[in-house]
Amino acid sequence: MKPLTEILDYLYGPGVVIAEEFGSIPEIELLLIFGSWAARHNGEPGPPPHDIDVLVVGTAERAEIYAAADRAQVRVGLPVNPVLASRRRWQSASDALIRQIKASPTIDLTPHEAGRKEHDP
């Protein structure tokens, strides 16, 4: 049963939905799922996640990000919590949340057009 679940997740799961909903926003330089959902997806044991945490790095309008999160939430059936960060914040070593995200499992959903080399730490 696990292989079927993995196939369905790959085709229709939260990662796909979030990539679709956020992917049309051109000002996104980096899009990551982090937190418990990313940890479970990467095989870390623990309780099922009750929400999906999404990091958005770039200059996108807050309203666009929250609208994408709302659409994704409806499709996925779990709360989608976006965290917005500037490129400067993402590159800063002094931000505790950013350090935690960088040290934990993540799922990179950055749109290909965003120029991946720009956000490499």
Side-chain angles (χ1 to χ4, degrees), residues 46-115:
H50 298 288
D51 62 0
I52 302 171
D53 298 307
V54 178
L55 174 73
V56 179
V57 176
T59 59
E61 294 291 325
R62 182 175 295 274
E64 277 187 290
I65 297 300
Y66 282 98
D70 289 344
R71 291 189 306 269
Q73 179 172 303
V74 168
R75 292 177 61 192
V76 172
L78 291 172
V80 175
N81 306 313
V83 172
L84 286 69
S86 65
R87 181 186 299 187
R88 174 185 241 172
R89 181 179 177 200
W90 174 246
Q91 294 172 342
S92 172
S94 63
D95 189 300
L97 176 59
I98 299 301
R99 282 195 319 266
Q100 178 184 356
I101 292 170
K102 287 180 177 182
S104 301
T106 60
I107 301 167
D108 190 340
L109 300 174
T110 306
H112 295 293
E113 307 82 52

Side-chain angles (χ1 to χ4, degrees), residues 11 15-24 71 75:
L11 294 174
V16 173
V17 171
I18 289 169
E20 288 175 0
E21 295 298 348
F22 287 82
S24 63
R71 291 189 306 269
R75 292 177 61 192

